[in-house]
Amino acid sequence: MSARPAYRDANVLRWLVAYTASITGDVVYFLALTWAAVRVGGPSQVGLVVAAGALPRAALMLGGGVVADRFGPRRVAVVSDAVRCGVILGVAAALTFASPGVWLLVTAALVFGAVDAVFMPAVGALPPLIAAPAQFARVQGMRGLSVRLSNAVGPLPAAALLVTAGAAGAFAAAGILFALSLATLLTVRTVSPASSARPPRSASAGASVRTSALRELADGLRYVRRHRMLAPLVVVIGLGEMCFSGPVATGLVLLAEERGWGAPGMGWIASAFSVGAAASALLLTVSARIPRAGLVMGAALLVTAGGAVSLGRVASLPLAVVLGSLIGLTSGITTTVTGALLQTETDPRYLGRVTAVTTLCTLGLAPVLFPAVGVTVALWGADVFFAGCGVICLLAAGLGLAVPVLRRAELQGPESLSPAAVAGGSGVPSEG
């Protein structure tokens, strides 16, 4: 029995709705938090409030992976989504009926960041438990579309709510989106890891006494380090996403200011980047398979490196827009392919911890890199910053093409069976 395409699988689509609602809720929440921080504490307090959320998320991300593996990604995602929903609706109520100070926003950001550190590895580890290995690239493409759609659409209603209903209304909307994510996530069915097309978990492993969380974390890191493909792949993902998970957006602002393009110019380039990334996600969502996945990954990273260097040197805004769309396209291809390879190779027992490692590399450490962007542009100019991004991508491409197991990596073809088919079509959930 052939695997059903992911975009026609109702279970995968329910996961996608839950994920999209969650990401959109994140966008609305962060805008509301920043807006409220400015209104309550002034511009000087914004950095404190944002850092209060970013630091626990980065510090606890690896621990979140341990929690996801210990209790199951679906269960952990459901509980953490419920906590996020309650926290944000509580903040909305507090802002509606009282006039709390910055302490409330800092507390909410701390709690939200800590819970996010658990939610992100859990929700990222779900695709292998709801789709066949042959569909991993499609699921990653759908996930990319979700992110782009949320980032493009989310700010519009958030801004309208901030103007009409204030921060309380925006927080309430974010809470409702998290509630929608939670309700939909509860309908998603996951199959047992033992019914996947990868090595099953032994009975003795399932019956063994649970080790300490620290030992489980060390075990997960050891698993990545010793895995012949995952070890170099995680490095490639970290290098390839280092500049494009946030810092490049700051670089675009400074580049537009330096070139005299202003806010409209920056907006055009950023939009072109998003369009390119969305196009790659759509292309890979409908593609039956990606032949020579390892070579595709390396080639996309090489083009991204060249595009980043060129973007920092051009003086023409239209050409910069074209380069922005090209970088979005190729970086989107890299993200989809590397994500699919990662989930194909990872033992189900380690999905949460491996996802936590890559999420920490791509998103958790981004706030640490923001100051470096401003310092680099201030001292040497925007062209040096983008040249540096190009060099980092070139290193990722070089590693991907130099390591034989990565260069020859292939994704499973459409003839693979779905987890439900392997399990006999029972579709019995493995988690509560």
Side-chain angles (χ1 to χ4, degrees):
M1 180 178 178
S2 299
R4 180 184 300 175
Y7 54 81
R8 293 180 180 175
D9 189 322
N11 196 45
V12 174
L13 292 176
R14 287 194 295 269
W15 168 82
L16 184 66
V17 170
Y19 186 76
T20 303
S22 176
I23 294 296
T24 307
D26 281 339
V27 172
V28 176
Y29 158 73
F30 283 114
L31 287 174
L33 184 69
T34 304
W35 180 278
V38 172
R39 293 296 182 274
V40 174
S44 62
Q45 301 296 325
V46 173
L48 172 64
V49 174
V50 173
L55 292 178
R57 183 167 58 248
L60 301 176
M61 186 72 69
L62 295 180
V66 173
V67 174
D69 284 336
R70 175 174 285 198
F71 298 104
R74 179 180 177 273
R75 182 178 293 111
V76 171
V78 165
V79 173
S80 54
D81 229 2
V83 174
R84 297 195 310 168
C85 178
V87 169
I88 300 309
L89 290 177
V91 173
L95 292 175
T96 301
F97 300 108
S99 299
V102 175
W103 63 267
L104 173 69
L105 300 179
V106 171
T107 302
L110 282 169
V111 175
F112 191 91
V115 178
D116 226 22
V118 178
F119 177 79
M120 294 174 73
V123 76
L126 276 176
L129 302 181
I130 62 174
Q135 300 300 314
F136 287 175
R138 279 176 168 160
V139 173
Q140 291 300 317
M142 294 163 69
R143 184 179 181 179
L145 276 174
S146 170
V147 172
R148 297 303 164 187
L149 176 65
S150 300
N151 288 333
V153 175
L156 299 178
L161 283 168
L162 287 170
V163 172
T164 59
F171 274 114
I176 292 171
L177 286 167
F178 291 136
L180 173 62
S181 173
L182 172 62
T184 312
L185 197 57
L186 287 169
T187 68
V188 174
R189 293 176 289 107
T190 58
V191 296
S192 169
S195 66
S196 69
R198 285 165 289 174
R201 181 175 181 172
S202 65
S204 60
S208 64
V209 178
R210 296 192 188 279
T211 57
S212 68
L214 187 60
R215 186 173 298 177
E216 288 184 36
L217 174 57
D219 182 42
L221 296 176
R222 191 181 306 113
Y223 169 75
V224 173
R225 178 170 58 84
R226 293 179 176 177
H227 198 289
R228 66 192 190 107
M229 178 179 284
L230 290 181
L233 181 60
V234 167
V235 176
V236 169
I237 292 174
L239 291 173
E241 293 291 324
M242 184 179 295
C243 293
F244 297 97
S245 59
V248 76
T250 304
L252 285 178
V253 175
L254 298 175
L255 175 67
E257 182 69 20
E258 189 177 276
R259 296 289 190 274
W261 297 332
M266 181 273 295
W268 277 106
I269 301 172
S271 296
F273 181 92
S274 295
V275 169
S280 69
L282 181 61
L283 174 65
L284 297 177
T285 296
V286 300
S287 296
R289 64 185 299 265
I290 304 174
R292 300 178 182 269
L295 287 177
V296 169
M297 174 190 70
L301 283 167
L302 284 175
V303 176
T304 303
V309 174
S310 301
L311 180 59
R313 300 182 65 86
V314 298
S316 166
L317 177 58
L319 183 55
V321 171
V322 172
L323 288 171
S325 64
L326 176 65
I327 294 171
L329 178 70
T330 54
S331 64
I333 291 174
T334 301
T335 300
T336 299
V337 172
T338 54
L341 286 173
L342 188 87
Q343 295 186 333
T344 299
E345 291 295 321
T346 302
D347 186 307
R349 293 172 293 172
Y350 294 93
L351 275 171
R353 281 165 284 182
V354 173
T355 303
V357 170
T358 56
T359 304
L360 178 64
C361 292
T362 57
L363 296 177
L365 297 180
V368 180
L369 300 175
F370 285 130
V373 179
V375 171
T376 301
V377 174
L379 291 178
W380 300 292
D383 57 332
V384 173
F385 165 73
F386 282 98
C389 291
V391 170
I392 293 172
C393 282
L394 187 62
L395 290 174
L399 178 61
L401 295 173
V403 177
V405 71
L406 283 183
R407 185 176 65 251
R408 299 168 185 162
E410 292 283 359
L411 293 170
Q412 295 195 28
E415 69 278 359
S416 301
L417 293 178
S418 68
V422 176
S426 63
V428 178
S430 66
E431 302 171 18

